[in-house]
Amino acid sequence: MDAYFTDLLIAEDEALKAAVADSDAAGMPQIAVAPNQGKLLHLLALTQGATRILEIGTLGGYSTIWLGRALPAGGRLVSLEYSPEHADVARANLARAGLDENVEVRVGPALDSLAALESEAAAPFDFSFIDADKANNPHYVEWALKLSRPGSLIVVDNVVRDGSVLDATSEDPAVVGTRRMFELVSTHPRLTATAVQTVGARGYDGLLLARVTG
Ligand code: SAH
Ligand code: DHB
Ligand code: MG
């Protein structure tokens, strides 16, 4: 079904195809969002009217390109990536997509980059996509919230992980982090949220969507 949707609905151009090919050639794990998921992020950011986008977890910049293409002229996307090697590949992929003016990849542990972003006191982000080390998911949601405004949208990837997130006894840091993130979101007075399971080219997983309230 993902191939069917993608053939019919998702016009992946050369820049997107080359971003995947060059990420693979660099030996990166094949964990970028699927094309139809990338287009979903793009449509959500467009619907949001986002002019400022935050991404946590760049990899080779595949999701970054989809999100960057939702920006209006003069819009800005900041994508945070731990690995300098990943960031180099991503920057080349973003430049080929013509997005180097609008997109900045910042290297380092995202928690450090987020603190730096706060100290810069820039305008809030309209849209955040959290897709890095899952153990830090609760911290990333707190930071995304801190850097948001009422009406901002926060999306978290990989919140199902083959259903392993249901296991309250799990010691897998990704599961523990994602479950803590759900607890935080479910009790937070400034977030209203839902989560959906997905199945397809990236297996059985899911997305959480949270809107920042007043
Ligand atoms: N969003 C990308 C996929 C990201 S994969 C896409 O869909 O195309 C997760 C990325 O998070 C990897 O590149 C990994 O290096 C990065 N990462 C892991 N831990 C991190 C951390 N502490 N800070 C920032 N990035 C981190
Ligand atoms: C993993 C990370 C991702 O962001 C993803 O989409 C799929 C898998 C992982 O670390 O296993
Ligand atoms: Mg992911």
Side-chain angles (χ1 to χ4, degrees):
M1 285 305 300
D2 265 10
Y4 177 75
F5 295 153
T6 298
D7 285 349
L8 283 175
L9 304 174
I10 321 297
E12 255 199 325
D13 66 359
E14 282 314 311
L16 283 163
K17 287 179 186 162
V20 172
D22 284 9
S23 300
D24 291 350
M28 292 183 188
Q30 296 182 353
I31 54 174
V33 293
N36 53 340
Q37 295 171 330
K39 181 87 178 266
L40 174 65
L41 295 172
H42 175 81
L43 293 176
L44 287 170
L46 280 178
T47 303
Q48 188 68 11
T51 65
R52 290 183 46 85
I53 298 176
L54 172 67
E55 177 176 68
I56 307 178
T58 318
L59 194 68
Y62 182 80
S63 56
T64 323
I65 294 174
W66 278 112
L67 286 168
R69 287 180 169 173
L71 289 170
R76 187 136 199 89
L77 188 161
V78 180
S79 186
L80 310 181
E81 172 55 50
Y82 178 78
S83 155
E85 291 81 14
H86 292 185
D88 281 346
V89 174
R91 287 190 187 111
N93 287 334
L94 288 157
R96 183 166 38 206
L99 287 166
D100 38 344
E101 297 275 299
N102 302 86
V103 179
E104 178 191 357
V105 181
R106 291 201 185 187
V107 175
L111 289 175
D112 294 352
S113 301
L114 289 160
L117 277 170
E118 186 193 30
S119 69
E120 289 163 24
F125 292 104
D126 308 300
F127 186 102
S128 298
F129 179 49
I130 298 175
D131 190 22
D133 50 323
K134 314 308 178 190
N136 276 318
N137 271 342
H139 304 301
Y140 294 152
V141 167
E142 297 212 69
W143 271 112
L145 182 59
K146 202 179 285 189
L147 298 171
S148 290
R149 56 161 173 86
S152 292
L153 187 68
I154 299 170
V155 177
V156 185
D157 197 22
N158 311 116
V159 301
V160 173
R161 308 184 69 83
D162 283 316
S164 60
V165 168
L166 206 55
D167 182 1
T169 67
S170 174
E171 291 173 11
D172 175 347
V175 171
V176 173
T178 300
R179 290 181 62 88
R180 289 202 179 129
M181 182 278 298
F182 271 109
E183 279 163 40
L184 170 81
V185 170
S186 68
T187 55
H188 204 290
R190 291 189 55 222
L191 291 171
T192 179
T194 189
V196 290
Q197 303 181 76
T198 55
V199 63
R202 293 297 178 273
Y204 170 37
D205 218 320
L207 293 167
L208 174 130
L209 280 78
R211 180 180 165 95
V212 179
T213 59

